[in-house]
Amino acid sequence: MLWMLTPGAGVLFAAFALSLVLAGLAWRRSAQPQWRFFPLLMLAVAGWCLVSGLEASFVPFAWRILWAKLEYLGSGSAATLLLLFAARYSGHDRWLRGTRQLFLWALPAVGVGLAGTNELHHIVWTGFSPGPVGTNFLIYHHGPGYSAIVGWIYAYLFCACGLLVKSALRPAAGRRRQVAMILLAAAFPLTAGVLYSLGYSVVPGLNLVPMSFVLTAVIFLLELVGGWV
C-alpha cells in the first residue's frame, strides 16, 4: 500500500483547500500595499498543510521522510511571510528591505538545507519511531538543529506579533479589533508549536502546528476577508 487517508491527513487536506480559498480572496485585496504579502502567506500555509497531509497519508518510510523535509520549506516560508506581512501592514517595513530581507530568507533556506541533508549529520532528526498502530504517524527524535530552526521561527512570529500590537496601540487606531483577531489567529500555531516541541500531543507523533492553521485560516477568513466580498 502506497498511501492511506487517515483522519489527521483529512484535516490537513481540508486546511490546504481552505488556505487556497483564502489566498484567492486575499489576492483581490493585494493591490493595496499593506496586504501584498498576505496572499503569499496563505499560499505558504496551503503548501505546508498539503505536504503535511501527504506525510501523514503515505505509508512507505522513505516517502514520509521526503514530505517531512518539504514541510520545512512551508513552515519557514510561512514564518518569514508572516513577519513581512506584519511589517508592511503596520508600516514598519523600511528596515526589512534590500539585503535585510534577503537575510530573513537565508534562515529558512538554511533550515531546509539542514533537513534535506539530515542523513549526513543527523542534527535535525536523530532517529524515528513508529507511532501508534493505525495512525500512520512517525515520532521524530529531534536534534540540536531542530531546536535552532524552531528558535528562529518563533523569533519571527513574536516579532510579527509585536509589530501588530504596536500598530493596534496607536492612538485612535481604527484597526484595533482587526489586529486583535490577527493576534488571536497567530496564538493557535504558537501554542501548538510549544506543545509539539514539549512532546504533548493528542496522538504521539501528530504535529499539531499545521492543523492549527485550520483555525487560523478560519479567523482570517471571517475577520479579514468577510468584509471584502
Side-chain angles (χ1 to χ4, degrees):
M1 181 184 295
L2 181 61
W3 75 289
M4 57 184 294
L5 183 60
T6 62
V11 173
L12 288 165
F13 290 142
F16 161 69
L18 182 58
S19 298
L20 285 182
V21 171
L22 184 55
L25 292 172
W27 192 261
R28 299 168 53 185
R29 195 76 170 187
S30 61
Q32 298 184 17
Q34 66 268 32
W35 296 101
R36 191 161 298 163
F37 289 106
F38 189 73
L40 297 177
L41 169 60
M42 287 295 96
L43 287 177
V45 171
W48 187 10
C49 291
L50 175 61
V51 296
S52 297
L54 293 172
E55 191 267 333
S57 58
F58 270 71
V59 176
F61 177 82
W63 279 100
R64 283 187 280 178
I65 298 303
L66 173 63
W67 298 125
K69 291 178 178 180
L70 291 177
E71 287 181 47
Y72 281 80
L73 178 61
S75 60
S77 298
T80 305
L81 288 167
L82 177 60
L83 178 54
L84 292 172
F85 164 69
R88 176 65 62 87
Y89 182 84
S90 62
H92 293 86
D93 60 324
R94 291 185 178 180
W95 59 281
L96 287 179
R97 296 177 181 174
T99 56
R100 292 179 180 176
Q101 186 174 141
L102 291 177
F103 176 76
L104 286 181
W105 285 105
L107 289 177
V110 170
V112 173
L114 289 175
T117 59
N118 186 73
E119 293 83 357
L120 302 177
H121 44 70
H122 302 286
I123 64 173
V124 177
W125 303 304
T126 58
F128 312 91
S129 299
V133 177
T135 63
N136 198 41
F137 289 133
L138 280 178
I139 298 176
Y140 294 86
H141 304 289
H142 299 121
Y146 172 82
S147 300
I149 293 171
V150 170
W152 70 255
I153 287 179
Y154 271 87
Y156 281 18
L157 294 181
F158 281 119
C159 284
C161 291
L163 290 172
L164 292 173
V165 169
K166 186 175 182 180
S167 177
L169 294 178
R170 291 174 183 170
R175 300 176 296 177
R176 289 186 178 179
R177 181 178 182 276
Q178 192 176 72
V179 173
M181 295 303 290
I182 293 175
L183 291 176
L184 176 62
F188 288 110
L190 285 171
T191 304
V194 170
L195 292 175
Y196 179 72
S197 298
L198 294 176
Y200 296 103
S201 182
V202 178
V203 177
L206 173 61
N207 187 350
L208 296 174
V209 181
M211 288 188 175
S212 69
F213 275 96
V214 178
L215 297 175
T216 299
V218 168
I219 293 177
F220 278 139
L221 182 63
L222 294 177
E223 185 62 24
L224 301 181
V225 182
W228 304 348
V229 180

